[in-house]
Amino acid sequence: MKITPHLFSPWRRKSLLATGTLALSAVMLAVASPGALAQPAMPPGKVMRLIVPYAPGGPIDVTARLMADSVKHSLGTVIIENRPGAGGNIGVDAIAKAAPDGLTIGIAAVATHAINPWLYSRMPYDAASDFAAITQMVRVPNVLVMNADTARRLNINSLADLIKYAKANPAKLNYASGGNGSAGHLAGELFKSQAGIFALHIPYNGGNPAQLALLSGQVDFNFDNLATASSNIKAGKLKALAVTTARRSAFLPDVPAVAETLKGFEIDTWWGLVAPAATPRDVVARLNQAFVAALNAPDTKARFSTLMAEPVASSPEQFAAFMKSERAKYEKVVEASGARVD
């Protein structure tokens, strides 16, 4: 219904108020207006903060920035705030303690919400109760990679070859990780346990030093995320033996899953979005709607694929249940590894 300007002239307004037509016209105008049905998730003019608990430049930071750009038309301006430190705990604690008004959200990752609760003797937040899940964002396969020259020298061409060599040569293999209790460390310990082998764990101060050690031949293998390892796999510097997802990855279709050799083995790198626990459910629902739409957009999938990342859109309930199951899984893995950060 088109409302003409003279409809609201003084003499006309009095008549409309008397008959109730103005009220009816207002309702019809709201229904006719497309913007009336698309209620903004945040108050007009407000800027949303998305806290990334890691340094700029990594896969998590890059995908967070892509998502911030993708939802700007539905949510308005979203700024990225990097708060690295303490294995992600500093930034995540800032999310937990933010005002629950929907203006501060942030990243929940496998480390911060599944591993750290069992790894750190003191945690500044409760991963189980201090957050409202919004949606999972991404799943990135991890991959078991060997130094390519080492693999040729030892005649290791498959995961079965690696296990066979390790059993025939006890304690001769070693593997690197980004530190005690890191995802790479825990994947390595789970692999050793299920394969029935021993390999010396050598922790480094971060994933990049661990990868450099592998590339230089200082260590024999490691578990890295595919986004980080892919360029060196393509260059022939690293040999991919298996991915750690339950099934093969579309990004490396010729590389088998560890589970094809060791049944039930599954460790993914994942992250998603959370808000402070007391954020109203209707606000969480609107945030979920905006980010899920962005995750399902063909353009997002194409951009994420360049990072070897698979968008995973979920409901708040699904993401909350997934994080709960991951905490239960990693409680056992961390305990078995003996890793602890005081």
Side-chain angles (χ1 to χ4, degrees), residues 120-198:
Y120 285 78
S121 58
R122 292 182 297 276
M123 287 287 288
Y125 58 87
D126 188 327
S129 62
D130 284 351
F131 305 91
I134 297 172
T135 180
Q136 187 174 347
M137 272 177 55
V138 169
R139 176 171 55 232
V140 179
N142 292 329
V143 59
L144 194 170
V145 285
M146 285 194 73
N147 176 288
D149 291 335
T150 301
R152 282 191 291 269
R153 176 169 53 82
L154 300 180
N155 197 29
I156 294 175
N157 296 302
S158 67
L159 184 64
D161 289 342
L162 177 64
I163 294 172
K164 181 179 179 181
Y165 180 88
K167 288 183 175 180
N169 299 273
K172 285 193 175 180
L173 290 176
N174 57 33
Y175 76 99
S177 82
N180 285 317
S182 66
H185 175 207
L186 298 179
E189 293 304 302
L190 184 61
F191 169 63
K192 287 163 52 179
S193 174
Q194 292 195 12
I197 64 170
F198 176 79

Side-chain angles (χ1 to χ4, degrees), residues 20 25 51 65 115 143 162 196 202 224 235 249-250 288 307 322 342:
S25 298
I51 296 176
R65 292 176 189 277
I115 296 174
V143 59
L162 177 64
I202 301 179
D224 205 346
S249 168
N288 172 267
L307 302 170
F322 173 73
D342 295 322

Side-chain angles (χ1 to χ4, degrees), residues 7 33 37 51 107 110 123 131 161 178 182 185 191 217 226-227 252-253 260 280 308 322 334 339:
L7 182 64
S33 172
L37 297 178
I51 296 176
I107 295 290
V110 60
M123 287 287 288
F131 305 91
D161 289 342
S182 66
H185 175 207
F191 169 63
L226 185 53
L252 283 178
E260 294 177 36
M308 305 291 172
F322 173 73
V334 172

Side-chain angles (χ1 to χ4, degrees), residues 36-87:
L37 297 178
Q39 294 297 324
M42 299 301 113
K46 297 291 185 179
V47 175
M48 184 189 301
R49 242 188 347 156
L50 198 166
I51 296 176
V52 176
Y54 301 101
I60 293 179
D61 177 68
V62 171
T63 56
R65 292 176 189 277
L66 288 176
M67 292 304 294
D69 183 63
S70 297
V71 300
K72 63 185 178 184
H73 296 299
S74 55
L75 298 180
T77 301
V78 180
I79 61 170
I80 302 298
E81 181 177 322
N82 296 92
R83 298 283 294 273

Side-chain angles (χ1 to χ4, degrees), residues 222-285:
N222 75 2
F223 287 83
D224 205 346
N225 71 69
L226 185 53
T228 302
S230 60
S231 61
N232 286 310
I233 293 172
K234 291 177 181 177
K237 297 177 182 179
L238 297 178
K239 183 174 182 60
L241 297 182
V243 293
T244 64
T245 41
R247 292 172 294 279
R248 296 190 183 202
S249 168
F251 300 116
L252 283 178
D254 296 329
V255 176
V258 175
E260 294 177 36
T261 301
L262 302 175
K263 189 174 181 179
F265 189 101
E266 181 181 5
I267 287 186
D268 298 342
T269 295
W270 55 263
W271 55 93
L273 294 167
V274 294
T279 303
R281 293 185 66 179
D282 63 323
V283 173
V284 171

